Amino acid sequence: MCRNGSRLNGIRLLKLSSTEEKESKFVKDLSEKIKLSTYHLARIRARMEFLVDPMVIMAGLIILYFSAEVFHMSLAKTGMFVFVLLRLMPYTKDIFNSRQVLAGFSGSLFRVTEYFQKAREAHTIDGGKVSSISLDKGIRFENVTFSYVPEETSVLKDINLFIPAGKMTALVGRSGAGKSTLVDLIPRLRVPTKGRIYFDDEPVENYDLRALRRSIAFVSQEGFLFNDTIERNIRYGRPEASPEEVTRAARMAHAHHFIKEMPEEYETVVGERGIKLSGGQRTSSLDSESEEYIQKAMEEIRKKEKITLIIIAHRLATIRSADQIIVIDNGMIAETGNHKNLIKQASWYAHMVKMQTIS
């Protein structure tokens, strides 16, 4: 069913790929399998119904025979025994039917039990007691290694890295190199398998988890929007924000101009996952204009506030002004430097800059 759900969310892709017939056949075949399974289960239940009644009657006759011939019970006692037996017959059938229903759901029950077992085995991330968070020096990774499953290959391997406070640090590298995983370790969405992370000189695990995450603003690569108004989506992280602060945030993101063009401006409902907005308005993909807006927004933020920016970059043009660029390859740090230094080297970064410039 999950596979069907993902296909329903990808209707646009299915139509553009002209695979409607193929997907219709997939759903038809799957529905046929479900129908046959339901039919076989119904047949088993019917057979049990057919077998239970004769079995109970046969058991009753045997009891009657032994009562009269072996135990020499009176007719009244035997009749009472048979009466009780007949009253118990529906309950006996229900027990057999329940067993068949349970057998029919055993597959789903097994999966649910398996997920519960995994949930019990999962480690709960506990925070510390330090609630005052300030970053004066920077974030330091010391010999940090991470793997999703202990027995599997590490996603990050012995990372030693310093991210200076108040500066812009960009993480670049091939898809699957470990960039997002490294960033997830900072707000403790994941915990290192080995090594430690420090905010200045304080281990990150000493901080109160809620306070730590409230001190970090996160912008996803794929913008997620709730089925609510634009205003409520903007103020989601700070419900107490005033209308003026909401407008200011929209202006800094260079979104105010198109919001004012919406039918109900900031009160416009964007739909599930922002379906009523274009890709550029959601900023889930960058065109040249969106890229320019983002660069301007970052520069404005850096001028007005002392914040530490960590950017996962795919379009290298957006990070030319970064104070530090970290190239991650196969879970390890391959290169470190600024744009001018790295393009002088015969490196992956220089090669990618050249390719993107040509394209």
Side-chain angles (χ1 to χ4, degrees):
M1 295 305 292
C2 291
R3 293 177 66 189
N4 280 345
S6 62
R7 280 167 160 75
L8 290 175
N9 291 330
I11 290 296
R12 185 172 183 271
L13 174 62
L14 301 186
K15 289 185 176 294
L16 289 174
S17 304
S18 298
T19 56
E20 294 97 323
E21 292 184 7
K22 173 186 172 183
E23 296 301 329
S24 295
K25 184 178 183 302
F26 171 81
V27 174
K28 182 179 178 182
D29 292 344
L30 188 61
S31 300
E32 188 68 22
K33 288 180 181 179
I34 295 173
K35 184 184 77 174
L36 289 174
S37 298
T38 306
Y39 169 70
H40 287 309
L41 184 60
R43 285 186 63 184
I44 292 172
R45 290 178 183 172
R47 287 177 180 175
M48 291 304 301
E49 287 272 352
F50 180 77
L51 292 173
V52 167
D53 287 347
M55 287 171 62
V56 173
I57 293 171
M58 183 63 68
L61 292 174
I62 292 172
I63 291 170
L64 279 175
Y65 173 79
F66 277 93
S67 299
E69 296 295 327
V70 178
F71 299 105
H72 305 292
M73 292 174 63
S74 66
L75 185 61
K77 289 182 179 180
T78 304
M80 179 61 69
F81 193 82
V82 171
F83 174 76
V84 172
L85 188 66
L86 292 174
R87 293 288 293 175
L88 289 175
M89 185 184 293
Y91 299 103
T92 305
K93 292 170 65 176
D94 288 342
I95 291 172
F96 276 101
N97 287 334
S98 298
R99 184 179 180 280
Q100 296 307 314
V101 171
L102 182 61
F105 287 106
S106 60
S108 300
L109 182 62
F110 173 77
R111 295 297 296 173
V112 171
T113 304
E114 184 180 22
Y115 281 124
F116 273 122
Q117 181 64 26
K118 287 181 179 179
R120 281 192 292 268
E121 292 174 355
H123 296 290
T124 302
I125 298 176
D126 296 319
K129 296 182 179 180
V130 180
S131 58
S132 178
I133 300 174
S134 62
L135 194 63
D136 299 318
K137 299 177 183 177
I139 302 170
R140 189 170 78 256
F141 288 69
E142 285 192 0
N143 302 314
V144 171
T145 296
F146 175 81
S147 60
Y148 291 99
V149 180
E151 295 78 16
E152 292 183 356
T153 304
S154 297
V155 180
L156 297 173
K157 306 164 188 174
D158 293 320
I159 297 292
N160 287 284
L161 171 65
F162 182 72
I163 299 173
K167 304 291 184 180
M168 181 201 286
T169 296
L171 304 177
V172 299
R174 297 179 178 86
S175 296
K179 303 181 296 295
S180 298
T181 304
L182 188 146
V183 171
D184 285 348
L185 296 175
I186 296 173
R188 304 199 70 210
L189 296 177
R190 306 187 190 281
V191 176
T193 309
K194 188 180 73 172
R196 300 186 85 175
I197 300 172
Y198 296 85
F199 274 47
D200 291 342
D201 298 316
E202 189 76 48
V204 70
E205 61 267 22
N206 290 357
Y207 287 106
D208 174 77
L209 204 56
R210 178 178 172 80
L212 174 67
R213 292 175 178 173
R214 291 285 293 178
S215 68
I216 299 171
F218 176 77
V219 180
S220 173
Q221 175 185 353
E222 190 173 318
F224 181 89
L225 294 171
F226 294 96
N227 185 17
D228 209 333
T229 65
I230 293 174
E231 180 183 6
R232 288 179 181 171
N233 271 285
I234 292 174
R235 70 165 74 230
Y236 179 75
R238 281 190 60 210
E240 72 279 5
S242 66
E244 292 75 19
E245 290 175 316
V246 170
T247 303
R248 177 172 172 267
R251 288 185 185 277
M252 291 181 70
H254 294 272
H256 178 74
H257 65 288
F258 78 75
I259 293 175
K260 295 297 287 184
E261 295 174 358
M262 302 294 287
E264 298 177 59
E265 298 184 0
Y266 283 84
E267 294 301 317
T268 302
V269 177
V270 298
E272 194 67 41
R273 300 184 70 88
I275 194 171
K276 294 182 181 179
L277 302 178
S278 70
Q281 290 170 334
R282 292 194 301 269
T283 320
S284 59
S285 58
L286 295 182
D287 53 24
S288 298
E289 186 178 11
S290 300
E291 181 182 303
E292 183 182 353
Y293 285 154
I294 288 175
Q295 286 178 320
K296 286 181 179 179
M298 288 191 299
E299 291 303 323
E300 289 173 10
I301 292 171
R302 293 179 70 189
K303 288 177 182 178
K304 293 178 181 179
E305 316 224 8
K306 184 188 175 183
I307 62 172
T308 305
L309 283 173
I310 302 173
I311 300 172
I312 297 177
H314 297 280
R315 292 177 64 89
L316 303 183
T318 61
I319 60 166
R320 288 177 181 270
S321 61
D323 299 291
Q324 177 178 229
I325 298 172
I326 308 295
V327 179
I328 300 177
D329 186 31
N330 195 29
M332 297 181 290
I333 295 177
E335 305 168 44
T336 303
N338 58 31
H339 175 76
K340 289 183 179 180
N341 292 334
L342 290 177
I343 59 173
K344 293 177 182 177
Q345 304 173 17
S347 61
W348 179 90
Y349 180 83
H351 176 67
M352 290 305 298
V353 168
K354 184 179 179 180
M355 285 186 61
Q356 292 189 10
T357 303
I358 293 173
S359 61

